[in-house]
Amino acid sequence: FWWDRLDFMLRRLPSDQLWLTVQGERFEVRRSTNEYSWQRPAVSMLKGRSEAFRIDFLEELEVRANVAMPSDVPEEYRVMTWDAIRECETRGVRFGAHSLSHPVLSQV
């Protein structure tokens, strides 16, 4: 998911502040001791943008932060297995229909 890519790269920034230029706009990316304070502004901003912009932003962040995304999804970002889902259901958790890619629904 795009927000997992963002989180992965933000956690590995080479410094606490980074400037990006994406589609002609300049953005400051900051990291602080409170992870939610640096994730929330970026996620909120990206939710309001097009999928193409999010892709461009993440690609630019990867280059500027010099953080290579691994070819396999890291363990902490993997989705639940079917066995884990079935186990949750035996404990009262209900799962309903939703999309596979979790797009920003206002843009679909």
Side-chain angles (χ1 to χ4, degrees):
F1 301 121
W2 65 264
W3 57 87
D4 287 341
R5 286 183 63 198
L6 176 66
D7 180 76
F8 181 88
M9 288 186 279
L10 288 176
R11 290 178 184 277
R12 291 158 180 81
L13 286 178
S15 65
D16 289 340
Q17 180 184 30
L18 188 68
W19 286 94
L20 307 176
T21 301
V22 181
Q23 295 184 2
E25 293 182 63
R26 193 157 161 80
F27 297 93
E28 179 184 24
V29 179
R30 272 183 183 260
R31 178 176 53 198
S32 74
T33 55
N34 178 345
E35 71 180 77
Y36 295 106
S37 69
W38 49 261
Q39 286 178 335
R40 189 169 297 148
V43 168
S44 294
M45 182 275 294
L46 289 172
K47 275 186 172 181
R49 301 299 185 118
S50 69
E51 181 69 14
F53 183 90
R54 281 191 293 276
I55 291 168
D56 289 350
F57 186 95
L58 293 171
E59 287 176 353
E60 180 66 11
L61 179 59
E62 187 173 351
V63 169
R64 295 280 295 126
N66 195 28
V67 175
M69 293 300 297
S71 57
D72 290 333
V73 177
E75 182 66 34
E76 66 267 29
Y77 298 104
R78 290 193 181 143
V79 297
M80 294 177 77
T81 65
W82 284 110
D83 287 338
I85 290 169
R86 285 194 234 5
E87 174 65 25
C88 286
E89 286 181 326
T90 67
R91 296 172 184 230
V93 175
R94 303 259 333 198
F95 293 89
H98 63 288
S99 73
L100 179 63
S101 63
H102 296 274
V104 177
L105 294 178
S106 63
Q107 296 179 4
V108 176

